Amino acid sequence: MSREKLFIFDTTLRDGAQTQGVDFSIDDKEKISSALDKLGVDYVEGGWPGANPTDTEFFNKDHNFKSTKLTAFGMTKKSEHSAENDPMLSSLINSKSTSVCLFGKSWDFQVDVALGISNEQNLINIRESTKHIVKSGKEFIFDAEHFFDGYKSNPEYAMSCLKAAYDNGARWIVLCDTNGGTLPHEITKIVSEVSKNIPGENLGIHAHNDTENAVANSLAAVQAGVRQVQGTINGLGERCGNANLMSLIPTFFLKKDFSDKFELSIKRENLKNLTQCSRLLDEIL
């Protein structure tokens, strides 16, 4: 029986770096990203080029990764700019990244309170940003921020945010439990609904750990259809942390419910590198 491909996306250097007290140097970033490349993860999100000198310098270097795609992070365009004239999008496109991940609001409450724009303007920003990144030739990933809260509040609008990116060429639509408050049974239900409109091979999960369910929620999302899993080394992340890839990766290899159904780019013999990878981060911190 053929197995489906499961993609691993590490965001230690971006979301993990938002942890209070964490401030990675260029040398730190190079050590961590090199370890992740050696492990064999599919994507390493290296930070936000243009947002600070360290991230900008990191994305100006040639890393020559063998396994991983270096991913640049940013946000959808500002309402006052066209996508072509948005300086943040330009810094992402001009960076030495293979792929670009943009976050955009998918909860109407956040659109109103945090962005102060109309729901329609938010959809325009998502659409135009997607088109611009796709046109540049870089692989495009859309992080639907606050998706699960947004879906519970207004499922029609939350879905329209996903479709604004997917219908305009996004390779991945990542469902984000930004507040970390969603429970596994809710993940299963909502992901199953989403996958009726967007194929699971284009869906990802990004879980925070505020209810200590980030790993469980990631596993539930995979069983419900998603094929990209985002997380960090040791679960490092803001507030209570992110999904712990050091827990998830062995589960995908060693539990038959997953190993019989899925294959990873990571080689089985590389499982022995997980301890080294985990301790490297702890030593740096």
Side-chain angles (χ1 to χ4, degrees), residues 148-149 152 177 179-184 186-187 190 211 213 217:
F148 291 96
D149 291 304
K152 294 176 199 176
D177 187 27
N179 286 334
T182 309
L183 298 176
E186 297 175 302
I187 296 282
I190 293 172
T211 58
N213 279 298
N217 284 342

Side-chain angles (χ1 to χ4, degrees), residues 248-260:
L248 284 164
I249 292 168
T251 300
F252 295 139
F253 275 100
L254 303 175
K255 299 298 183 181
K256 288 179 69 63
D257 284 345
F258 295 96
S259 62
D260 285 352

Side-chain angles (χ1 to χ4, degrees), residues 76-94:
T76 53
K77 78 173 189 71
K78 298 282 190 181
S79 297
E80 59 267 26
H81 299 140
S82 67
E84 291 75 14
N85 292 314
D86 188 282
M88 191 277 300
L89 292 185
S90 296
S91 69
L92 300 179
I93 290 172
N94 293 330

